[in-house]
Amino acid sequence: MENLVQVRNMIYDIRGQKVMVDFELAELYEVETKYLNRTVKRNIERFPSDFMFQLTREEWELLRCQIGTSKMVRETRGGRQYLPYVFTEQGVAMLSGVLRSKKAIEVNINIMRTFVNMRQWALNSKEFGQRLRDIERYFIEHCKDNDKDIKQIYEAIDLLMDRTKPNRIGFIQDIK
């Protein structure tokens, strides 16, 4: 479970997609970033733009602020010569075909489980929200006479909805 939480914290929302950054993937796979990227470039036909893309300078600056400086110290020792690549869920799955170590297989399994858990949570939250809206509609239709009770119900529903909102992972970048 700890591995899944670690992986979840490495998934960011960039260009409306859930992605993982090359240097964090390399850290998980226990390989150097340049090795991971070199292997990808040798197999570039497996990584179309919806599987992997390179960040813009602006996206990279925003992401650096979000990730924090502790990880960046390791990354900047030798100086990064290019902007990072990010991999979508499909791109991470494709990595398992080009990185063949036991560690890569283990890491990919954890990453895929994390993506599945995130998707399942999103579905459950949507269903839960719909059920609360149905309850709200019922009380509006059937309890019109007692405004005080309805107000308390609304407050309870609002409080419950706030507690079930997801913690934001990553950021949304509106690129035109």
Side-chain angles (χ1 to χ4, degrees):
M1 188 61 158
E2 183 179 315
N3 288 340
L4 295 180
V5 172
Q6 177 188 12
V7 170
R8 186 174 36 230
N9 292 333
M10 294 179 175
I11 298 174
Y12 306 96
D13 192 0
I14 301 176
R15 300 182 195 175
Q17 297 186 69
K18 300 288 188 232
V19 297
M20 296 185 75
V21 186
D22 60 2
F23 61 87
E24 289 185 329
L25 283 165
E27 184 179 313
L28 288 172
Y29 292 132
E30 297 177 357
V31 300
E32 291 184 38
T33 305
K34 65 182 178 181
Y35 171 76
L36 182 135
N37 287 329
R38 190 174 351 156
T39 303
V40 167
K41 287 177 184 176
R42 286 181 183 155
N43 296 278
I44 198 67
E45 68 280 356
R46 294 177 182 242
F47 296 93
S49 62
D50 57 329
F51 284 25
M52 175 193 87
F53 56 90
Q54 193 168 26
L55 296 179
T56 64
R57 174 119 355 247
E58 184 179 311
E59 289 168 332
W60 174 225
E61 291 303 320
L62 289 169
L63 186 62
R64 282 178 60 178
C65 292
Q66 185 176 3
I67 291 174
T69 57
S70 62
K71 288 183 182 175
M72 300 319 303
V73 170
R74 279 194 308 273
E75 201 56 37
T76 58
R77 263 191 227 145
R80 196 166 181 128
Q81 301 298 314
Y82 55 88
L83 294 167
Y85 289 94
V86 293
F87 297 83
T88 64
E89 180 178 357
Q90 294 83 6
V92 172
M94 193 59 72
L95 281 172
S96 66
V98 296
L99 299 172
R100 294 184 178 93
S101 70
K102 285 185 185 259
K103 183 66 176 183
I105 293 167
E106 176 187 318
V107 167
N108 269 45
I109 289 169
N110 282 331
I111 292 170
M112 292 302 108
R113 285 181 177 153
T114 302
F115 276 112
V116 168
N117 286 342
M118 289 173 67
R119 222 177 355 269
Q120 188 62 45
W121 182 89
L123 288 172
N124 289 341
S125 293
K126 189 174 181 180
E127 291 170 11
F128 184 69
Q130 182 58 48
R131 291 175 90 184
L132 285 175
R133 284 187 290 281
D134 291 345
I135 291 170
E136 182 179 35
R137 240 187 326 275
Y138 173 83
F139 280 105
I140 288 171
E141 292 172 8
H142 294 92
C143 302
K144 294 180 181 177
D145 298 332
N146 198 339
D147 287 340
K148 183 181 177 186
D149 289 342
I150 292 174
K151 185 177 179 187
Q152 288 176 340
I153 291 168
Y154 280 137
E155 289 171 358
I157 289 173
D158 286 341
L159 181 62
L160 192 54
M161 289 299 286
D162 282 344
R163 289 184 180 169
T164 60
K165 286 182 182 171
N167 292 329
R168 190 85 186 112
I169 299 173
F171 59 91
I172 297 175
Q173 180 71 25
D174 186 22
I175 307 278
K176 294 179 182 173

